[in-house]
């Protein structure tokens, strides 16, 4: 930039290649080989002093009133409500590849000495999303909507099954206490479907490859990596039974989510330029988390190259490719702040539902591959779509929406490449570079982050019944106590095959299984 004193003209010359490449990198890096040919880039010179503050209203999820109804035949006399049929329509549009979303990333470089001038580059990519979220209130029928989606595509799924690993099943991933509830609901609405329940590593060992491929639904706990012996089995089979060290899921991560600024101190100074990031205990935890993820994903990649027989038993879930994946209570694995864990514990003590501990949530994040941007390299593979169910949609921050979109089929919302979750596995050097060298977000960038988060919620999510609408409807609970017979008590203890024998008990509940 230079000033011609004679003509009183200012000339600005821009070289946008670097900013354009940085914006494009977010959409391309780590997402597979098919992405880079679909990127378009634009740039402009902007005056930072003229930017306005973004209007940040609370995020909202719209209903499906404008959708057509999709009729699905369930067991008589059961029928879907109109709002449920419309939710099926929206999710099936996603599954059929008919829902488009424009992914966006931005790079902003302030011009030194320019008195507020900035070069802003935008990289965009139009894509068909492959994941959605049903966010109806508790009791509004998210489970039956999911069953209807499975029933609608059951014949196509059965025709797509193929040896050695292409299953016709929908994999339903749930908190451990909901496995039997899901099984009961499927029996109620679609009893002809073949269902396999996986409670732990012990039950995996009894299931043949043939059974997994020919199933219609497989139900498993989201924290199955916490099941004693499960991770060992993944690594052992991947390494063809060679003796190799299997890391344990770390007890703690080296980075905690901050969902607000209250009480957060950043102790950076000339004496501590890393801002506390080089705390040896935290770095040790980050190293352990990174190593566990590396061993797990590397083992899964090797596992999928195995040669197997149809009668083989004990193949991990990660070996198979599923028709679709449904993750119930999707918010459970993502809510990790201390306050949220405290509230979850209080809620579980009030309704006797069992507390889903942080280590179980962390196991769920590993299973779902939350840090892997390439969906074909995630632990759980699907052919058609992945859906999340939650009565508590994560709308309290853009960070939560970005992470939810990434988990549901790797839809990219601006800011994903610098999301805080990656810091759980970073070195203190990389954290330093992240905090100090990443371009700071201007008002222009923050405005786009908010708008793209809202666009994603509008495109991929639906909420026909909120908690407010469910108020006033009386919930009537009937409890019937049925004592176990001697034979049943023996079978119940046998079902705890993944639990240490010293901890097996008739009083233990599925949601309280703590196999560590």
């Amino acid at each position: 930039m230079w000033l011609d004193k004679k003509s009183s003209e200012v000339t600005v010359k821009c070289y946008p290649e670097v900013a354009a490449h940085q914006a494009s990198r977010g959409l391309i890096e780590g997402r597979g080989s098919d992405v880079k040919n679909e990127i378009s880039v634009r740039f402009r010179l902007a005056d930072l002093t003229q930017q306005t503050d973004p209007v940040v209203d609370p995020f909202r999820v719209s209903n499906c009133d404008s959708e057509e109804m999709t009729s699905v035949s369930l067991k008589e006399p059961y029928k879907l409500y109109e709002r449920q049929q419309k939710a099926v329509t929206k999710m099936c549009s996603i599954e059929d590849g008919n829902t488009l979303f424009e992914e966006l990333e931005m790079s902003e470089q302030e011009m030194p000495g320019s008195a507020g001038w900035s070069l802003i580059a935008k990289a965009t990519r139009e894509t068909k999303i492959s994941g959605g979220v049903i966010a109806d209130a508790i009791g509004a029928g998210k489970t039956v909507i999911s069953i209807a989606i499975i029933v609608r595509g059951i014949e196509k799924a059965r025709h797509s099954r193929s040896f050695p690993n292409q299953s016709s099943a929908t994999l339903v991933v749930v908190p451990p206490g909901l496995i039997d509830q899901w099984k009961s609901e499927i029996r109620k609405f679609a009893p002809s479907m073949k269902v396999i329940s996986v409670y732990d590593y012990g039950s995996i060992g009894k299931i043949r490859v043939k059974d997994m491929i020919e199933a219609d639904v497989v139900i498993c706990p989201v924290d199955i990596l916490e099941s004693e012996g499960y991770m060992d089995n993944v690594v052992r089979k991947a390494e063809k039974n060679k003796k190799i060290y299997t890391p344990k899921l770390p007890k703690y991560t080296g980075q905690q989510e901050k969902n607000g600024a209250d009480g957060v101190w950043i102790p950076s100074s000339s004496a501590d330029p890393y801002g506390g990031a080089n705390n040896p205990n935290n770095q040790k935890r980050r190293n352990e988390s990174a190593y566990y993820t590396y061993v797990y994903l590397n083992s899964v990649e090797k596992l999928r190259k195995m040669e197997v027989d149809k009668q083989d038993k004990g193949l991990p879930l990660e070996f198979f490719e599923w028709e679709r994946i449904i993750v119930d209570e999707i918010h459970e694995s993502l809510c990790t702040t201390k306050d949220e864990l405290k509230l979850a514990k209080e809620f579980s003590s009030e309704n006797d539902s069992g507390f889903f501990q942080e280590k179980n949530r962390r196991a769920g994040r590993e299973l779902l591959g939350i840090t892997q941007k390439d969906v074909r390299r995630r632990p759980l593979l699907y052919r058609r779509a992945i859906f999340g169910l939650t009565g508590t949609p994560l709308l309290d921050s853009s960070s939560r929406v970005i992470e939810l979109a990434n988990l549901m089929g790797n839809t990219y919302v601006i800011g994903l490449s610098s999301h805080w979750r990656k810091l759980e596995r970073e070195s203190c050097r990389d954290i330093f570079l992240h905090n100090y060298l990443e371009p700071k977000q201007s008002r222009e960038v923050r405005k786009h982050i908010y708008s793209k988060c809202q666009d994603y919620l509008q495109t991929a999510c639906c909420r026909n019944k909120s908690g407010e609408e469910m108020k006033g409807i009386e919930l009537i609970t009937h409890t019937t106590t049925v004592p176990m017979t001697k034979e049943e008590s023996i079978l119940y203890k046998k079902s705890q095959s993944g639990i240490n024998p010293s901890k097996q008990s008739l009083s233990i509940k599925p949601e309280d299984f703590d196999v560590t």
Side-chain angles (χ1 to χ4, degrees), residues 248-260:
K248 301 297 181 185
L249 190 70
K251 293 182 178 180
Y252 307 98
T253 60
Q255 188 78 20
Q256 275 204 320
E257 179 179 15
K258 299 295 184 183
N259 225 17

Side-chain angles (χ1 to χ4, degrees), residues 82-248:
E82 287 187 7
R83 58 178 173 79
Q84 293 172 332
Q85 293 182 50
K86 292 181 177 183
V88 170
T89 300
K90 182 161 186 170
M91 295 301 114
C92 287
S93 175
I94 292 172
E95 183 170 277
D96 294 340
N98 297 325
T99 304
L100 298 176
F101 181 78
E102 185 188 61
E103 297 178 337
L104 166 70
E105 187 53 275
M106 297 176 67
S107 175
E108 185 173 26
Q109 303 295 328
E110 188 171 354
M111 300 176 65
S114 64
W117 287 98
S118 180
L119 181 65
I120 301 177
K122 283 184 182 181
T124 58
R125 170 180 178 256
E126 189 170 66
T127 183
K128 297 175 182 178
I129 63 174
S130 63
V133 179
I134 304 172
D136 283 348
I138 296 172
K142 295 185 292 295
T143 304
V144 71
I145 292 171
S146 304
I147 293 171
I149 293 171
I150 299 171
V151 170
R152 171 187 175 268
I154 194 71
E155 292 304 321
K156 187 171 184 178
R158 288 170 178 170
H159 281 98
S160 66
R161 64 173 64 134
S162 176
F163 181 79
N165 72 330
Q166 289 189 325
S167 173
S168 56
T170 294
L171 181 67
V172 180
V173 185
V174 301
L178 298 182
I179 294 177
D180 288 336
Q181 178 181 320
W182 262 87
K183 192 173 181 179
S184 174
E185 290 293 286
I186 292 171
R187 191 183 301 120
K188 175 181 177 182
F189 295 110
S192 63
M193 290 201 295
K194 181 180 178 182
V195 181
I196 293 177
S197 298
V198 176
Y199 294 93
D200 50 31
Y201 166 59
S203 55
I204 280 276
K206 302 171 186 176
I207 304 171
R208 300 176 301 172
V209 170
K210 181 177 184 292
D211 298 327
M212 284 289 200
I213 290 175
E214 295 179 355
D216 293 318
V217 179
V218 174
I219 311 171
C220 77
V222 69
D223 61 346
I224 196 168
L225 282 172
E226 276 285 276
S227 175
E228 187 173 336
Y230 187 87
M231 178 66 168
D232 290 331
N233 184 45
V234 172
V235 176
R236 186 174 62 251
K237 288 192 179 300
E239 299 296 336
K240 299 180 179 179
N241 293 316
K242 294 178 184 177
K243 288 186 178 180
I244 188 170
Y245 169 70
T246 304
K248 301 297 181 185

